[in-house]
Amino acid sequence: MSQAWLTLREQLEYFSTPFPRAAIAFAEEHKDEVTPYFIEVLQNTAKNPEITEDGDYMLHMYAMHLLASWRATDAYLPMLAIGSFADDVIDSMMGDVVTETYGRCLASVCDGNVELLKQRFEDEKTSIWSRTAALIAWQVRVVAGENDRAELLNYLSTRGELIAQQRKHADQGDAVLLETIVDVATVLCASEMSGQVNRWFEDKLLDPQMSDQDWFNEHIMLDYEASRALELEHGKGYVHDVEKEMGWWSGFHKETQPNFRNIYTQHTIRKEPKIGRNDPCPCGSGKKYKKCHGVDV
């Protein structure tokens, strides 16, 4: 076994502070040598997801983001495989990463075969968040100019109509999936879907707290190239910088020493719950937090 890998694994296997900048730089220097080992980490995680139940286990997270930044297409199948579980396993394995960067990591290692992304989005046995990440991955590929926009738009329209029809019957269809289709259509400025999506709004098939009709109608008519440039400007394209993607995580930043003011502020003054990026923005706009005041968070 590679000495470089043994050194790296020791530094990255479990969570530690601060962010392991030196270890990531070491990985970059030995990229060709350690890439197969990181791929193996993903394969082992898919076979034995229980290893991630230890909240401090981090090797699969570093593997996912490093391989994505290296555009390692051999990691595509293993990275898909780690997302093939139900909600409880995905939550233990990835936490918020499944909605934050998993889709972009998938896009970064995708070899161009979007059929596997379609299969994942349609897999009812898989976590809803893993399914939406697959569609986001396809969106990222299109925005990057590496997959055909028209093909994705055709899929959004066809699949969206199927889910919309299911939504008209109790306990069928899923609002989150339909909302994701609307989100992707909006990013791609799919004006040709305007009438179709507005019918979904009128039939009350979309949650008004998660999808705002006025906002949709304003943005669906924007210039696609301008929207594409904005997505890339906001870092919603391929993964390039591991520290940028992971280094901001709160766990990597030391908390201040507890004192009376900190304790009083934390437990007495702050009454609002933490805002998730997929929650409605508290400003009342009707948009998701990640698409409104949280766009740069």
Side-chain angles (χ1 to χ4, degrees):
M1 185 173 287
S2 160
Q3 185 58 48
W5 170 246
L6 293 175
T7 300
L8 198 56
R9 186 179 66 182
E10 182 179 358
Q11 297 179 61
L12 298 180
E13 190 163 15
Y14 293 97
F15 180 81
S16 62
T17 57
F19 181 80
R21 186 176 293 113
I24 296 300
F26 183 83
E28 296 282 358
E29 292 172 7
H30 297 81
K31 178 175 69 173
D32 292 341
E33 183 178 350
V34 301
T35 290
Y37 294 101
F38 277 123
I39 292 174
E40 187 177 1
V41 167
L42 296 185
Q43 292 170 334
N44 291 338
T45 302
K47 291 177 184 177
N48 303 293
E50 60 273 10
I51 63 177
T52 66
E53 292 175 3
D54 180 337
D56 285 336
Y57 183 78
M58 286 283 290
L59 195 55
H60 64 306
M61 291 285 95
Y62 290 118
M64 192 165 79
H65 289 85
L66 279 165
L67 291 167
S69 72
W70 297 337
R71 301 291 301 279
T73 54
D74 286 346
Y76 185 36
L77 293 181
M79 201 174 295
L80 272 168
I82 65 171
S84 63
F85 300 95
D87 282 334
D88 56 341
V89 177
I90 292 297
D91 184 57
S92 173
M93 182 189 296
M94 298 192 209
D96 288 344
V97 169
V98 71
T99 56
E100 296 293 341
T101 56
Y102 180 47
R104 291 174 48 234
C105 285
L106 276 175
S108 299
V109 299
C110 176
D111 58 9
N113 180 8
V114 296
E115 288 299 320
L116 297 178
L117 299 176
K118 292 182 190 177
Q119 292 172 19
R120 172 57 50 78
F121 186 69
E122 297 169 14
D123 185 358
E124 297 181 359
K125 296 180 180 179
T126 300
S127 164
I128 193 75
W129 307 113
S130 185
R131 294 170 68 184
T132 60
L135 196 62
I136 297 300
W138 193 355
Q139 169 197 301
V140 170
R141 299 275 307 174
V142 170
V143 168
E146 296 203 55
N147 280 94
D148 183 56
R149 176 175 175 270
E151 181 185 2
L152 177 51
L153 294 187
N154 181 62
Y155 180 79
L156 296 177
S157 179
T158 303
R159 195 69 194 176
E161 197 58 40
L162 175 62
I163 297 172
Q165 292 304 315
Q166 293 174 337
R167 289 277 295 148
K168 292 180 179 180
H169 303 282
D171 301 323
Q172 294 186 33
D174 195 295
V176 173
L177 297 179
L178 196 59
E179 178 213 340
T180 303
I181 286 175
V182 173
D183 282 351
V184 173
T186 306
V187 168
L188 299 181
C189 301
S191 57
E192 52 267 68
M193 289 182 62
S194 176
Q196 183 180 28
V197 174
N198 274 292
R199 286 194 297 274
W200 297 343
F201 277 111
E202 291 160 8
D203 292 340
K204 302 186 185 306
L205 305 179
L206 294 159
D207 185 344
Q209 288 191 318
M210 304 299 285
S211 299
D212 180 74
Q213 189 172 8
D214 290 338
W215 186 87
F216 165 78
N217 283 317
E218 176 187 348
H219 287 78
I220 199 70
M221 303 305 293
L222 296 178
D223 177 72
Y224 170 61
E225 288 302 324
S227 175
R228 176 175 175 269
L230 194 61
E231 286 288 296
L232 297 174
E233 180 184 337
H234 286 159
K236 296 179 182 177
Y238 292 138
V239 171
H240 297 289
D241 185 331
V242 175
E243 183 171 3
K244 182 178 179 181
E245 303 294 345
M246 299 178 66
W248 64 271
W249 294 359
S250 59
F252 288 121
H253 303 279
K254 293 181 179 179
E255 298 180 359
T256 56
Q257 291 297 316
N259 57 43
F260 175 80
R261 179 178 292 276
N262 290 336
I263 295 172
Y264 181 83
T265 301
Q266 179 181 355
H267 296 288
T268 307
I269 296 176
R270 187 176 186 272
K271 297 179 181 179
E272 299 83 1
K274 176 185 176 183
I275 303 169
R277 283 177 54 76
N278 286 302
D279 292 340
C281 188
C283 75
S285 66
K287 306 174 192 175
K288 291 183 187 179
Y289 179 61
K290 70 180 181 182
K291 289 186 174 292
C292 193
H293 284 78
V295 69
D296 291 319
V297 175

